[in-house]
């Protein structure tokens, strides 16, 4: 009976997440850069975030979204002037790890189970 208990405890321990640094308050405001590769091309977006507003510039176009913080690591983005029904959907953002001047985040449309990940660098 003891070997089964030990095996169970080892299995349980292997499923526990590792402790990840997460100093989210360092990334609530400031100037940031988001870079992602899509179809073999590197795209870059820059944005500035205050407690209540995020202004993003991508390919020469600037757009604004309201920011509503749920806690120190999670917030909701809502475009201020959506141009179509897709842009009307709010986006849930969650910072999942931080390191020096960077953070990793998960995002999805509010209510959508499919999550994507991104990586951001703080510029200031």
């Amino acid at each position: 009976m003891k070997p089964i208990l030990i095996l169970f405890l080892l299995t349980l321990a292997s499923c526990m997440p590792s402790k990840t640094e997460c100093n989210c308050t360092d990334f609530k405001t400031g100037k940031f850069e988001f870079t992602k590769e899509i179809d073999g091309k590197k795209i870059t977006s820059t944005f500035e975030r205050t407690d209540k507003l995020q202004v993003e510039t991508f390919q020469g176009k600037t757009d604004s979204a309201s920011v509503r913080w749920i806690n120190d690591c999670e917030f909701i983005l809502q475009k201020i002037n959506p141009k179509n029904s897709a842009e009307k959907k709010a986006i849930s953002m969650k910072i999942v790890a931080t390191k020096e001047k960077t953070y990793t985040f998960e995002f999805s449309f509010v209510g959508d189970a499919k999550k994507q990940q991104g990586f951001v660098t703080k510029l200031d």
Side-chain angles (χ1 to χ4, degrees):
M1 186 83 164
K2 284 186 180 181
I4 293 173
L5 180 59
I6 292 171
L7 181 60
F8 174 75
L9 291 174
L10 287 173
T11 303
L12 183 63
S14 68
C15 295
M16 297 176 111
S18 62
K19 181 72 174 153
T20 307
E21 181 183 347
C22 215
N23 298 320
C24 299
T25 55
D26 294 346
F27 298 95
K28 285 182 99 171
T29 62
K31 293 180 183 180
F32 303 90
E33 182 176 85
F34 171 71
T35 303
K36 185 170 184 155
E37 190 171 312
I38 298 176
D39 297 330
K41 291 183 179 182
K42 194 179 211 182
I43 61 161
T44 301
S45 172
T46 57
F47 60 94
E48 188 166 354
R49 184 168 53 231
T50 66
D51 284 333
K52 298 186 186 258
L53 183 68
Q54 180 167 303
V55 179
E56 180 176 7
T57 302
F58 175 66
Q59 295 181 336
K61 296 179 183 176
T62 301
D63 208 351
S64 300
S66 64
V67 176
R68 183 172 49 93
W69 287 93
I70 297 167
N71 59 46
D72 284 343
C73 295
E74 297 179 71
F75 60 98
I76 305 293
L77 286 177
Q78 181 72 55
K79 289 212 178 198
I80 292 174
N81 295 309
K83 294 172 183 57
N84 55 49
S85 60
E87 289 185 358
K88 289 180 182 179
K89 294 180 181 179
I91 300 172
S92 174
M93 309 284 283
K94 180 178 182 181
I95 299 172
V96 294
T98 63
K99 185 176 181 181
E100 297 172 7
K101 293 225 174 242
T102 63
Y103 69 85
T104 303
F105 67 99
E106 292 179 345
F107 66 99
S108 65
F109 288 112
V110 171
D112 193 350
K114 182 182 176 186
K115 297 192 184 309
Q116 298 180 54
Q117 273 202 333
F119 185 78
V120 170
T121 302
K122 189 169 187 177
L123 300 175
D124 61 358

